[in-house]
Amino acid sequence: MQSGLRYLQYMTEYPNRLVPTGTCWCGCDQEAGIGRFFIQGHDKIAESALVAARYEGSIARLLEQHKFGPDESVRAAAVAEGGWIACPREGCKYTGAPASVRKHAAKPHPSLGD
């Protein structure tokens, strides 16, 4: 019953959660597997196809369409709103997903004198 309660709490907290259908969402019509949206690597195919179909194949157009660019940082928005974090090393400007930042932070920072 405990897992059922957690599920209900999750569904209440995230009512617009996407649910995998069992078919790869890239459009290849192949079986993706239980609990998966994509066959391995097909998420990047879908991403590239979307950029081609809606943004003239240009990441700059995609960013501009969503009001990002040199004067409005998409990286800052990802930290503020998207679950990204900044490197904990003072003076380092690296940002990314938590796992990526942990891997980065464990390496020497030559630009900071390491």
Side-chain angles (χ1 to χ4, degrees), residues 40-96:
Q40 185 173 357
H42 287 213
D43 55 334
K44 293 300 179 185
I45 292 170
E47 182 180 60
S48 294
L50 174 64
V51 171
R54 295 290 187 259
Y55 303 102
E56 302 171 20
S58 169
I59 298 297
R61 289 239 182 260
L62 173 129
L63 290 171
E64 186 275 332
Q65 183 72 29
H66 293 275
K67 310 291 188 236
F68 294 109
D71 298 325
E72 187 65 35
S73 171
V74 69
R75 292 170 64 161
V79 170
E81 306 163 26
W84 275 25
I85 61 173
C87 178
R89 293 284 308 268
E90 188 163 338
C92 182
K93 296 182 180 182
Y94 186 88
T95 59

Side-chain angles (χ1 to χ4, degrees), residues 6-28:
R6 280 197 306 265
Y7 176 76
L8 288 173
Q9 289 171 332
Y10 181 83
M11 293 305 290
T12 302
E13 190 173 344
Y14 301 103
N16 297 322
R17 180 180 74 88
L18 295 175
V19 178
T21 62
T23 302
C24 184
W25 281 33
C26 84
C28 70

